[in-house]
Amino acid sequence: MNIKFNNQFPTDREVILGILNNSEDALNKLYAAYFPMVLQFILNNSGDEDEAKDVYQETIIVLYNKVKEGSFELSSKLKTYIYSVSRRIWLKKLTQRNKKTSNIADFEEVLVVDDDVEQHEQKDIQFDKMQQALENLGEPCKTIIQDFYIHNLSMQDICEKFGYTNADNAKTQKYKCLQRLKKLFFNN
């Protein structure tokens, strides 16, 4: 059985089925989908890209082995699971790197203790909720918000793109769109 993915980010189910069916495509998509998150975490916590690659590889091996053994039970999003396992592996590596430190509390400045799985799941939920609100926003508001906040276009660029008479009119429209987005976000 060969599983093909339609987009860059496979669903959690596609990944699990892909691993069970020895799909190389599943592992490649898994690597591409979540490695940037792990890389950013390692870079922010005294590591480099090579260390991030090692940690991510170990994380994928843990996931792969658990799925193959049949002992894998997903109680959160796969992204959250990968983040949590990577975080634990990195903490262990930091401990080994600095053997003179015997107290794990010494790493609290490096690894924010509050940044745990539950908070990560909450952020995922909020991002999903914002994405849904943005999808329901409609045009031209959706594009204006994306152009300004995601693509970092200036108000003058947005003015020219949408044919507003001046940047102040574009700014007023962006403000109205942002108010509609907030209303959609908080009413869900």
Side-chain angles (χ1 to χ4, degrees):
M1 180 176 176
N2 198 357
I3 297 177
K4 293 288 181 195
F5 302 104
N6 296 331
N7 57 20
Q8 181 183 355
F9 297 101
T11 65
D12 294 354
R13 186 175 185 277
E14 288 172 333
V15 170
I16 303 305
L17 287 174
I19 290 172
L20 287 172
N21 291 298
N22 300 318
S23 168
E24 190 174 317
D25 191 36
L27 291 175
N28 290 338
K29 292 288 186 178
L30 179 62
Y31 195 91
Y34 301 122
F35 176 70
M37 169 186 70
V38 173
L39 174 63
Q40 191 62 47
F41 172 75
I42 301 295
L43 292 176
N44 288 342
N45 291 286
S46 305
D48 61 30
E49 187 172 351
D50 288 335
E51 290 169 316
K53 287 177 183 176
D54 290 343
V55 167
Y56 195 67
Q57 187 66 36
E58 288 180 47
T59 300
I60 298 305
I61 290 169
V62 167
L63 172 66
Y64 183 87
N65 288 337
K66 285 194 173 286
V67 169
K68 285 294 198 176
E69 291 168 0
S71 64
F72 182 72
E73 187 176 317
L74 191 61
S75 59
S76 64
K77 285 188 173 188
L78 188 59
K79 178 180 180 181
T80 304
Y81 177 82
I82 288 171
Y83 177 85
S84 176
V85 171
S86 296
R87 184 176 181 270
R88 288 181 186 180
I89 290 171
W90 182 239
L91 182 58
K92 192 180 285 185
K93 285 187 180 291
L94 283 177
T95 303
Q96 290 169 352
R97 180 194 289 176
N98 195 359
K99 289 191 185 228
K100 67 180 179 234
T101 302
S102 59
N103 186 354
I104 204 164
D106 293 344
F107 287 112
E108 286 182 7
E109 290 180 26
V110 177
L111 293 171
V112 181
V113 176
D114 292 341
D115 194 9
D116 62 0
V117 174
E118 192 172 310
Q119 269 190 333
H120 196 71
E121 286 175 345
Q122 286 292 38
K123 286 180 184 178
D124 275 351
I125 290 168
Q126 293 299 316
F127 283 128
D128 290 345
K129 191 175 170 185
M130 179 57 74
Q131 182 65 36
Q132 187 62 43
L134 193 58
E135 291 299 321
N136 293 333
L137 189 58
E139 293 297 341
C141 283
K142 177 182 172 184
T143 304
I144 290 172
I145 296 292
Q146 287 176 329
D147 284 349
F148 186 77
Y149 291 103
I150 297 171
H151 304 295
N152 297 319
L153 293 182
S154 69
M155 290 315 299
Q156 186 59 42
D157 291 338
I158 292 172
C159 171
E160 292 168 11
K161 181 177 179 177
F162 288 93
Y164 294 112
T165 53
N166 59 47
D168 286 335
N169 287 349
K171 189 174 183 180
T172 300
Q173 184 61 41
K174 178 192 66 106
Y175 175 78
K176 289 178 182 177
C177 292
L178 193 56
Q179 294 307 310
R180 285 182 51 207
L181 180 64
K182 285 179 183 177
K183 191 173 185 179
L184 285 169
F185 179 81
F186 288 111
N187 286 338
N188 278 345

